[in-house]
Amino acid sequence: MAAHRELAKDMDLFHFEEHSPGMVFWHPQGLRLFRSIEDFMRQVYQAREFEEVRSPVALNRSLWERSRHWEKFRQGMFVVGSVEADTDDESALSVISPDYALKPMSCPAHIAIYQSRKRSYREIPMRLMEFGICHRNELSGTLSGCMRLRQFVQDDAHIFCRESDVHSEISNFLNTVQQVYAAFGYDRFSLQISLRPSQRLGSDRLWERAESLLIEVVQSLGHNYKLAPNEGAFYGPKLEISLEDRLGRSWQCGTIQVDFNLPQVFELAFVNELGELERPVMLHQAILGSFERWIGILLEHCGGFLPIWAAPTQIAIASISDKAFDWAETIFVSLKQLGVRVELDNRERTIGKKIRELILRKIPSIAIVGEQEALNQTLNLRRNGGGSVEQLEMNLAQLERELAHSASAPNFPC
Ligand SMILES: [Zn+2]
């Protein structure tokens, strides 16, 4: 079993079922982890002036045909039929031809939001983002824990801008990626520019323009990169960011893509300063990519001992004997009031057993209290993970100060 799946079992985060291959069943602790990352990313996108949207999971085939996903990506989509009542016999239902597909990405939905009314240059760049539920019909043999799934949530974002904005948008994106990755403990990453694939949309002239623009921006920002022919998206070249984990493995997560083609196919426009219609460029971007995969990589990177701000349970209060129950409860209540994700272990069992269990569950810190600590109104804080174990005595006010700093998500810009 992949390491992240074993950790997920020990930490009671999620599991898989044979009847839903490639789809995650999130448990309460797992969803807390998911939400803490989502909240952090929401703050990141807000700071970068993206507006959050939400669009349907199933979209009509006509839209996929127009976006060319039907033609270029159909084998990767879940196609579904709608059920309609028979006009003569209302109790009889029949499935009519498969005319919907579950979205593999949110691009056409965000295009629909852009096109819902006339746009002006004052709204450009328009930045939309969604924690989009995506489905991809991956072959069952290729599914692997969280690393390759059929259903996942993606931080799926699109920028509608002018060609002259592309440089600053990509520069902002790369700065953001660096800061976000650092907040999760990753400090090494590499870049790849993926060029036109054989199955593609649009003229070579537009591809030429998109590719040279992307290469020029990345070069001018002084980054090293590798070129990958044939690996671009069917609508445009991609800049892909791979992070390096603690085991030296490389994972492609973030991406930004320059697209001149879908704006043309969908005839996107805005009214410019001269009152004329102008076509925007579309940038497709994701910072984490699939949340589930991100969590799988992160679990393996930190051996389960997550950064405290993301951990589903941030601290546990473990009492040594019943003489410390009241004091343990006082600590628990006051941390809970501060918004810390805290647990209380006042069960009648040895402290050794309690600590072993909490460590197996990868709880990042444990406050241990016995009779002496109850008398002195202190606690012993044990910090787990990071290769070494620290233990130090402090009072409740000191613990609260420490958690006020470490238990909330890093402020962005970091
Ligand atoms: Zn897109």
Side-chain angles (χ1 to χ4, degrees), residues 1 8 50 129 147 183 256 283 299 317 321 363 378 388 390 397 413:
M1 198 191 276
F50 280 79
M129 82 79 45
M147 304 315 192
I256 189 161
L283 301 176
L299 286 172
I317 320 297
S321 73
I363 310 289
T378 58
S388 61
E390 278 181 70

Side-chain angles (χ1 to χ4, degrees), residues 79-143:
V79 176
V80 290
S82 51
V83 178
E84 298 237 323
D86 194 304
T87 41
D88 299 326
D89 175 7
E90 287 198 358
S91 63
L93 295 174
S94 55
V95 177
I96 59 167
S97 64
D99 48 4
Y100 283 85
L102 304 184
K103 66 178 175 191
M105 63 272 287
S106 302
C107 336
H110 293 184
I111 289 174
I113 292 171
Y114 181 91
Q115 284 186 305
S116 62
R117 64 179 171 80
K118 208 170 192 177
R119 299 296 177 184
S120 143
Y121 69 93
R122 291 186 195 88
E123 301 170 86
I124 301 290
M126 181 186 285
R127 304 181 189 88
L128 303 179
M129 82 79 45
E130 174 168 2
F131 296 108
I133 300 173
C134 299
H135 290 81
R136 293 190 189 169
N137 201 358
E138 304 284 359
L139 298 174
S140 58
T142 66
L143 300 175

